[in-house]
Amino acid sequence: MFGLKPDFCNVALPETYFSMEDYASSTARWCSGCGAHTILTSVQRLCKEEQLLPEKTVFVSGIGCSSRFPHYMNTFGFHGLHGRAFPVACGIKFRRPDLNVFMVTGDGDCCSIGAGHWVHAIRYNIKMVVLLFDNAIYGLTKKQTSPTSAKGTISNTHPRGSVLPPINPIQATLGLPNASFVAQTADWQPAHLHATIKKAYDHPGLAFVRIVQRCPIFMRDVYEPTVADPNAITVLNHENGIQLDEKILKTFHNVVDHDPSDINKARELAERNNRTPIGLFYQNENADRYDEYGAHNLGISTEDRIDAINSLMDRYAV
Ligand code: SF4
Ligand code: MG
Protein backbone atom coordinates (compact mmCIF):
# COMPACT_ATOMS: atom_id res chain seq x y z
CA MET A 1 0.00 0.00 0.00
CA PHE A 2 1.89 2.94 -1.36
CA GLY A 3 2.53 5.74 1.11
CA LEU A 4 1.78 3.78 4.28
CA LYS A 5 4.20 2.49 6.88
CA PRO A 6 4.91 -1.27 6.45
CA ASP A 7 2.92 -2.47 9.45
CA PHE A 8 -0.19 -0.61 8.27
CA CYS A 9 -0.59 -2.90 5.27
CA ASN A 10 -3.08 -5.53 6.49
CA VAL A 11 -4.89 -3.88 9.35
CA ALA A 12 -7.79 -1.52 9.72
CA LEU A 13 -6.33 1.88 10.46
CA PRO A 14 -7.16 3.39 13.83
CA GLU A 15 -7.29 7.16 14.06
CA THR A 16 -3.88 7.34 15.72
CA TYR A 17 -1.35 4.58 15.32
CA PHE A 18 2.34 4.47 16.24
CA SER A 19 4.72 2.22 14.35
CA MET A 20 8.12 1.15 15.68
CA GLU A 21 9.74 3.93 13.67
CA ASP A 22 7.64 6.46 15.55
CA TYR A 23 9.38 5.45 18.80
CA ALA A 24 12.87 5.64 17.32
CA SER A 25 14.90 8.80 17.61
CA SER A 26 18.51 9.22 16.45
CA THR A 27 20.65 6.31 15.24
CA ALA A 28 22.02 4.34 18.20
CA ARG A 29 25.75 4.88 18.58
CA TRP A 30 26.57 1.77 20.55
CA CYS A 31 29.36 -0.38 19.06
CA SER A 32 28.52 -2.88 16.36
CA GLY A 33 27.41 -6.15 17.99
CA CYS A 34 26.65 -4.51 21.34
CA GLY A 35 23.76 -6.25 23.11
CA ALA A 36 22.13 -2.91 23.83
CA HIS A 37 20.86 -2.72 20.23
CA THR A 38 18.66 -5.80 20.71
CA ILE A 39 17.23 -4.41 23.94
CA LEU A 40 16.40 -1.10 22.26
CA THR A 41 14.54 -2.90 19.48
CA SER A 42 12.60 -5.00 21.97
CA VAL A 43 11.55 -1.94 23.98
CA GLN A 44 10.45 -0.10 20.84
CA ARG A 45 8.44 -3.17 19.87
CA LEU A 46 6.75 -3.18 23.28
CA CYS A 47 5.87 0.50 22.87
CA LYS A 48 4.27 -0.28 19.52
CA GLU A 49 2.39 -3.31 20.81
CA GLU A 50 1.04 -1.36 23.77
CA GLN A 51 0.58 1.79 21.63
CA LEU A 52 2.17 3.86 24.40
CA LEU A 53 1.63 7.55 23.85
CA PRO A 54 5.10 9.07 23.32
CA GLU A 55 4.09 12.18 25.27
CA LYS A 56 3.04 9.97 28.20
CA THR A 57 6.19 7.85 28.26
CA VAL A 58 9.53 8.66 29.86
CA PHE A 59 12.89 6.89 29.91
CA VAL A 60 15.26 7.76 32.75
CA SER A 61 18.91 6.76 32.88
CA GLY A 62 22.12 7.42 34.79
CA ILE A 63 25.58 7.36 33.20
CA GLY A 64 27.28 4.68 31.13
CA CYS A 65 26.93 3.04 27.71
CA SER A 66 23.43 1.79 28.52
CA SER A 67 22.36 5.18 29.81
CA ARG A 68 22.43 6.64 26.31
CA PHE A 69 19.12 4.83 25.87
CA PRO A 70 16.77 7.86 26.29
CA HIS A 71 18.50 9.59 23.36
CA TYR A 72 17.32 6.81 21.06
CA MET A 73 13.66 6.89 22.09
CA ASN A 74 11.26 9.39 20.59
CA THR A 75 9.59 9.91 23.97
CA PHE A 76 10.43 12.07 26.95
CA GLY A 77 13.75 11.17 28.54
CA PHE A 78 16.16 12.14 31.30
CA HIS A 79 19.86 11.28 30.96
CA GLY A 80 20.95 12.10 34.47
CA LEU A 81 23.79 11.77 36.92
CA HIS A 82 25.81 8.67 37.65
CA GLY A 83 23.85 6.37 39.97
CA ARG A 84 20.92 8.76 40.34
CA ALA A 85 18.42 7.33 37.89
CA PHE A 86 16.39 5.61 40.61
CA PRO A 87 15.42 8.72 42.61
CA VAL A 88 14.62 10.64 39.41
CA ALA A 89 12.41 7.83 38.09
CA CYS A 90 10.72 7.39 41.49
CA GLY A 91 10.06 11.12 41.71
CA ILE A 92 8.56 11.27 38.23
CA LYS A 93 6.21 8.35 38.83
CA PHE A 94 5.30 9.52 42.32
CA ARG A 95 4.11 12.90 41.07
CA ARG A 96 2.99 11.88 37.56
CA PRO A 97 1.32 8.47 37.96
CA ASP A 98 -0.23 8.89 34.50
CA LEU A 99 3.19 8.44 32.84
CA ASN A 100 4.74 5.16 31.70
CA VAL A 101 8.12 5.16 33.43
CA PHE A 102 11.09 3.08 32.31
CA MET A 103 14.53 3.22 33.89
CA VAL A 104 17.72 2.08 32.20
CA THR A 105 20.88 1.54 34.20
CA GLY A 106 24.18 -0.34 33.98
CA ASP A 107 26.06 -2.54 36.41
CA GLY A 108 28.32 0.30 37.54
CA ASP A 109 25.48 2.82 37.66
CA CYS A 110 23.12 0.56 39.65
CA CYS A 111 25.32 -1.75 41.71
CA SER A 112 28.12 0.65 42.70
CA ILE A 113 27.49 4.39 42.95
CA GLY A 114 23.70 3.93 42.76
CA ALA A 115 23.46 0.99 45.15
CA GLY A 116 21.85 2.96 47.97
CA HIS A 117 19.13 4.24 45.64
CA TRP A 118 18.68 0.74 44.23
CA VAL A 119 17.97 -0.67 47.69
CA HIS A 120 15.35 1.93 48.55
CA ALA A 121 13.70 1.97 45.13
CA ILE A 122 13.11 -1.77 45.41
CA ARG A 123 11.57 -1.21 48.85
CA TYR A 124 9.38 1.68 47.58
CA ASN A 125 8.04 -0.59 44.83
CA ILE A 126 6.80 2.35 42.73
CA LYS A 127 5.38 1.16 39.43
CA MET A 128 8.02 1.25 36.67
CA VAL A 129 10.16 -1.04 34.57
CA VAL A 130 13.86 -1.11 35.55
CA LEU A 131 16.24 -2.56 32.96
CA LEU A 132 19.72 -3.34 34.27
CA PHE A 133 22.09 -3.77 31.33
CA ASP A 134 24.77 -5.94 32.93
CA ASN A 135 27.91 -6.32 30.82
CA ALA A 136 30.07 -6.83 33.94
CA ILE A 137 32.44 -3.97 33.07
CA TYR A 138 32.60 -0.18 32.87
CA GLY A 139 32.41 0.12 29.08
CA LEU A 140 32.07 3.88 28.60
CA THR A 141 35.29 4.52 30.52
CA LYS A 142 37.13 1.76 28.64
CA LYS A 143 37.27 -1.40 30.71
CA GLN A 144 37.41 -0.91 34.43
CA THR A 145 36.34 -3.55 36.96
CA SER A 146 32.66 -3.18 37.82
CA PRO A 147 30.79 -4.57 40.85
CA THR A 148 29.55 -7.49 38.73
CA SER A 149 32.89 -8.37 37.10
CA ALA A 150 33.78 -11.99 37.84
CA LYS A 151 36.70 -12.53 40.17
CA GLY A 152 39.90 -12.59 38.15
CA THR A 153 38.62 -10.24 35.40
CA ILE A 154 41.56 -8.51 33.71
CA SER A 155 40.80 -4.82 33.42
CA ASN A 156 42.53 -1.45 33.38
CA THR A 157 41.99 -1.10 37.11
CA HIS A 158 43.04 -4.71 37.82
CA PRO A 159 45.63 -5.69 35.18
CA ARG A 160 46.44 -8.85 37.17
CA GLY A 161 42.79 -9.75 37.67
CA SER A 162 40.10 -8.44 39.99
CA VAL A 163 40.35 -9.73 43.53
CA LEU A 164 36.84 -9.61 44.99
CA PRO A 165 33.79 -11.78 44.28
CA PRO A 166 31.10 -9.98 42.25
CA ILE A 167 27.68 -8.78 43.36
CA ASN A 168 24.92 -10.98 42.00
CA PRO A 169 22.16 -8.40 41.23
CA ILE A 170 19.39 -11.01 41.31
CA GLN A 171 20.53 -12.41 44.64
CA ALA A 172 20.91 -8.90 46.08
CA THR A 173 17.46 -7.76 44.91
CA LEU A 174 15.78 -10.90 46.22
CA GLY A 175 17.32 -10.14 49.61
CA LEU A 176 15.64 -6.72 49.82
CA PRO A 177 12.35 -6.13 51.61
CA ASN A 178 9.31 -5.62 49.40
CA ALA A 179 10.95 -6.80 46.15
CA SER A 180 7.97 -7.62 43.94
CA PHE A 181 9.30 -8.60 40.49
CA VAL A 182 12.77 -10.00 39.85
CA ALA A 183 13.66 -11.47 36.47
CA GLN A 184 16.73 -12.23 34.39
CA THR A 185 17.14 -12.55 30.65
CA ALA A 186 19.90 -12.25 28.03
CA ASP A 187 20.17 -9.90 25.06
CA TRP A 188 20.99 -12.71 22.62
CA GLN A 189 17.73 -14.53 23.42
CA PRO A 190 15.32 -12.08 21.71
CA ALA A 191 12.11 -14.08 22.28
CA HIS A 192 12.83 -14.50 25.98
CA LEU A 193 14.05 -10.91 26.26
CA HIS A 194 10.85 -9.54 24.78
CA ALA A 195 8.54 -11.80 26.79
CA THR A 196 10.36 -10.68 29.95
CA ILE A 197 10.07 -6.97 29.14
CA LYS A 198 6.36 -7.44 28.38
CA LYS A 199 5.77 -9.26 31.67
CA ALA A 200 7.67 -6.52 33.50
CA TYR A 201 5.55 -3.83 31.86
CA ASP A 202 2.35 -5.58 33.02
CA HIS A 203 3.55 -5.86 36.64
CA PRO A 204 1.76 -3.48 39.05
CA GLY A 205 4.90 -2.46 41.00
CA LEU A 206 8.63 -2.00 40.33
CA ALA A 207 9.76 -4.68 37.89
CA PHE A 208 13.51 -5.32 38.14
CA VAL A 209 14.98 -7.02 35.06
CA ARG A 210 18.65 -7.87 34.87
CA ILE A 211 19.69 -8.33 31.25
CA VAL A 212 22.95 -10.17 30.76
CA GLN A 213 24.42 -8.03 28.01
CA ARG A 214 27.22 -8.66 25.55
CA CYS A 215 30.01 -6.13 25.31
CA PRO A 216 32.01 -7.43 22.34
CA ILE A 217 34.59 -4.67 22.71
CA PHE A 218 35.77 -5.33 26.26
CA MET A 219 34.15 -8.58 27.44
CA ARG A 220 34.11 -10.83 24.39
CA ASP A 221 35.90 -13.64 26.21
CA VAL A 222 33.35 -13.64 29.03
CA TYR A 223 30.13 -13.99 27.04
CA GLU A 224 31.18 -15.85 23.90
CA PRO A 225 31.31 -19.28 25.65
CA THR A 226 27.84 -18.72 27.12
CA VAL A 227 26.38 -17.54 23.83
CA ALA A 228 27.87 -20.50 21.95
CA ASP A 229 26.95 -23.25 24.45
CA PRO A 230 23.28 -24.32 24.62
CA ASN A 231 24.04 -25.95 28.00
CA ALA A 232 25.15 -22.67 29.53
CA ILE A 233 21.61 -21.41 30.15
CA THR A 234 18.88 -22.73 32.44
CA VAL A 235 15.32 -21.59 31.69
CA LEU A 236 12.99 -21.08 34.65
CA ASN A 237 9.62 -22.22 33.37
CA HIS A 238 6.13 -21.86 34.87
CA GLU A 239 2.61 -20.94 33.77
CA ASN A 240 2.93 -17.76 35.88
CA GLY A 241 6.43 -17.02 34.64
CA ILE A 242 7.87 -15.85 31.32
CA GLN A 243 5.85 -17.45 28.54
CA LEU A 244 7.83 -18.85 25.62
CA ASP A 245 6.52 -20.52 22.50
CA GLU A 246 6.80 -24.33 22.84
CA LYS A 247 9.05 -24.54 19.78
CA ILE A 248 11.45 -22.01 21.28
CA LEU A 249 11.36 -23.67 24.70
CA LYS A 250 12.41 -26.94 23.10
CA THR A 251 15.62 -25.37 21.86
CA PHE A 252 16.90 -25.07 25.44
CA HIS A 253 18.62 -28.10 26.94
CA ASN A 254 18.05 -27.15 30.57
CA VAL A 255 14.54 -26.21 31.70
CA VAL A 256 13.44 -26.27 35.34
CA ASP A 257 9.98 -25.67 36.78
CA HIS A 258 9.92 -22.73 39.12
CA ASP A 259 6.84 -21.14 40.69
CA PRO A 260 7.62 -17.40 40.90
CA SER A 261 5.60 -17.05 44.11
CA ASP A 262 8.21 -19.18 45.94
CA ILE A 263 10.82 -16.70 47.20
CA ASN A 264 12.93 -19.29 49.02
CA LYS A 265 13.33 -21.34 45.85
CA ALA A 266 14.01 -18.12 43.94
CA ARG A 267 16.87 -17.27 46.30
CA GLU A 268 18.24 -20.78 46.04
CA LEU A 269 18.21 -20.63 42.24
CA ALA A 270 19.88 -17.20 42.26
CA GLU A 271 22.75 -18.52 44.38
CA ARG A 272 23.64 -21.28 41.94
CA ASN A 273 26.30 -20.12 39.54
CA ASN A 274 27.11 -23.11 37.36
CA ARG A 275 24.78 -21.86 34.58
CA THR A 276 23.06 -18.59 33.65
CA PRO A 277 19.41 -18.84 34.72
CA ILE A 278 16.86 -16.84 32.71
CA GLY A 279 13.24 -16.39 33.70
CA LEU A 280 11.03 -14.93 36.40
CA PHE A 281 12.57 -15.63 39.80
CA TYR A 282 9.93 -13.93 41.89
CA GLN A 283 6.69 -11.98 41.58
CA ASN A 284 4.27 -10.62 44.18
CA GLU A 285 1.56 -8.47 42.65
CA ASN A 286 0.23 -7.47 46.07
CA ALA A 287 3.37 -5.95 47.59
CA ASP A 288 2.98 -2.50 49.18
CA ARG A 289 3.52 0.45 46.82
CA TYR A 290 4.81 3.76 48.04
CA ASP A 291 3.18 5.65 45.15
CA GLU A 292 -0.24 4.47 46.35
CA TYR A 293 0.59 5.62 49.86
CA GLY A 294 1.57 9.00 48.45
CA ALA A 295 -1.80 9.43 46.76
CA HIS A 296 -3.61 8.68 50.05
CA ASN A 297 -1.25 10.80 52.08
CA LEU A 298 -2.00 13.88 50.03
CA GLY A 299 -5.71 13.20 50.34
CA ILE A 300 -6.38 14.06 46.68
CA SER A 301 -7.08 11.95 43.63
CA THR A 302 -4.57 11.28 40.86
CA GLU A 303 -6.51 13.58 38.51
CA ASP A 304 -6.51 16.41 41.08
CA ARG A 305 -2.76 15.97 41.55
CA ILE A 306 -2.14 16.26 37.82
CA ASP A 307 -4.35 19.37 37.64
CA ALA A 308 -2.46 20.90 40.57
CA ILE A 309 0.92 20.26 38.90
CA ASN A 310 -0.31 21.64 35.59
CA SER A 311 -1.65 24.83 37.18
CA LEU A 312 1.65 25.27 39.04
CA MET A 313 3.63 24.84 35.82
CA ASP A 314 1.29 27.26 34.02
CA ARG A 315 2.43 30.01 36.39
CA TYR A 316 5.87 29.80 34.74
CA ALA A 317 4.60 29.63 31.15
CA VAL A 318 5.88 32.33 28.84
FE1 SF4 B 1 28.33 -1.76 24.02
FE2 SF4 B 1 30.68 -2.41 25.15
FE3 SF4 B 1 30.58 -0.72 23.06
FE4 SF4 B 1 29.67 0.04 25.45
S1 SF4 B 1 31.81 -0.47 24.94
S2 SF4 B 1 28.67 0.39 23.46
S3 SF4 B 1 28.76 -1.87 26.22
S4 SF4 B 1 30.00 -2.90 23.04
MG1 MG C 1 28.67 -2.02 32.55
Side-chain angles (χ1 to χ4, degrees):
M1 295 171 69
F2 180 77
L4 292 178
K5 295 169 184 172
D7 51 359
F8 275 176
C9 291
N10 297 316
V11 294
L13 297 180
E15 201 169 301
T16 307
Y17 179 85
F18 299 101
S19 67
M20 278 184 66
E21 290 76 18
D22 290 323
Y23 294 102
S25 183
S26 55
T27 303
R29 291 191 185 174
W30 292 305
C31 308
S32 175
C34 176
H37 291 286
T38 327
I39 306 168
L40 176 66
T41 303
S42 188
V43 170
Q44 289 170 343
R45 188 179 143 203
L46 174 90
C47 291
K48 190 207 81 169
E49 288 166 353
E50 299 294 328
Q51 285 296 290
L52 301 187
L53 295 174
E55 71 272 23
K56 291 280 187 183
T57 304
V58 58
F59 285 80
V60 180
S61 68
I63 294 293
C65 290
S66 59
S67 290
R68 293 193 56 78
F69 201 96
H71 295 274
Y72 308 139
M73 294 298 300
N74 193 19
T75 61
F76 281 103
F78 190 100
H79 186 179
L81 296 173
H82 203 199
R84 310 298 176 231
F86 276 110
V88 173
C90 287
I92 291 170
K93 187 65 182 177
F94 198 75
R95 285 295 177 236
R96 287 294 306 269
D98 57 315
L99 300 184
N100 307 300
V101 177
F102 294 79
M103 204 202 95
V104 177
T105 184
D107 41 302
D109 195 59
C110 174
C111 306
S112 184
I113 191 170
H117 298 307
W118 171 29
V119 168
H120 291 286
I122 296 296
R123 189 170 65 98
Y124 292 165
N125 193 34
I126 292 175
K127 176 161 174 53
M128 68 181 74
V129 175
V130 173
L131 303 174
L132 166 59
F133 291 31
D134 191 351
N135 58 4
I137 202 75
Y138 285 89
L140 192 70
T141 45
K142 315 288 181 231
K143 201 176 187 183
Q144 295 155 339
T145 304
S146 98
T148 63
S149 302
K151 193 174 176 180
T153 299
I154 308 281
S155 70
N156 290 332
T157 42
H158 292 93
R160 294 181 188 171
S162 62
V163 293
L164 293 175
I167 288 175
N168 177 334
I170 296 292
Q171 195 179 16
T173 306
L174 286 169
L176 297 173
N178 214 32
S180 69
F181 184 106
V182 184
Q184 179 156 284
T185 185
D187 77 72
W188 63 93
Q189 297 291 343
H192 192 274
L193 170 73
H194 191 67
T196 306
I197 292 174
K198 171 78 173 74
K199 184 94 176 164
Y201 174 75
D202 290 337
H203 178 64
L206 189 151
F208 180 84
V209 181
R210 179 198 185 204
I211 306 171
V212 184
Q213 184 221 322
R214 287 167 298 171
C215 171
I217 302 301
F218 298 123
M219 298 298 277
R220 184 177 290 276
D221 295 347
V222 173
Y223 290 122
E224 272 193 346
T226 308
V227 174
D229 180 5
N231 281 310
I233 278 182
T234 298
V235 177
L236 310 183
N237 187 42
H238 193 270
E239 59 183 352
N240 296 330
I242 308 300
Q243 297 300 312
L244 275 183
D245 186 276
E246 275 300 313
K247 286 181 194 152
I248 295 175
L249 194 60
K250 279 184 184 162
T251 64
F252 292 98
H253 293 196
N254 306 299
V255 178
V256 297
D257 285 332
H258 170 58
D259 181 347
S261 67
D262 185 344
I263 193 156
N264 291 325
K265 183 77 184 301
R267 286 173 176 153
E268 188 189 308
L269 286 164
E271 277 180 30
R272 292 185 202 164
N273 54 14
N274 54 338
R275 293 196 186 98
T276 301
I278 58 172
L280 182 57
F281 282 80
Y282 181 65
Q283 183 174 24
N284 175 10
E285 294 182 325
N286 301 312
D288 293 336
R289 279 175 53 189
Y290 195 54
D291 42 343
E292 288 185 339
Y293 167 79
H296 293 298
N297 193 33
L298 286 172
I300 58 175
S301 69
T302 297
E303 290 71 27
D304 287 346
R305 276 198 288 165
I306 294 167
D307 286 345
I309 292 168
N310 284 336
S311 68
L312 184 67
M313 298 303 283
D314 285 347
R315 281 164 46 186
Y316 301 100
V318 287

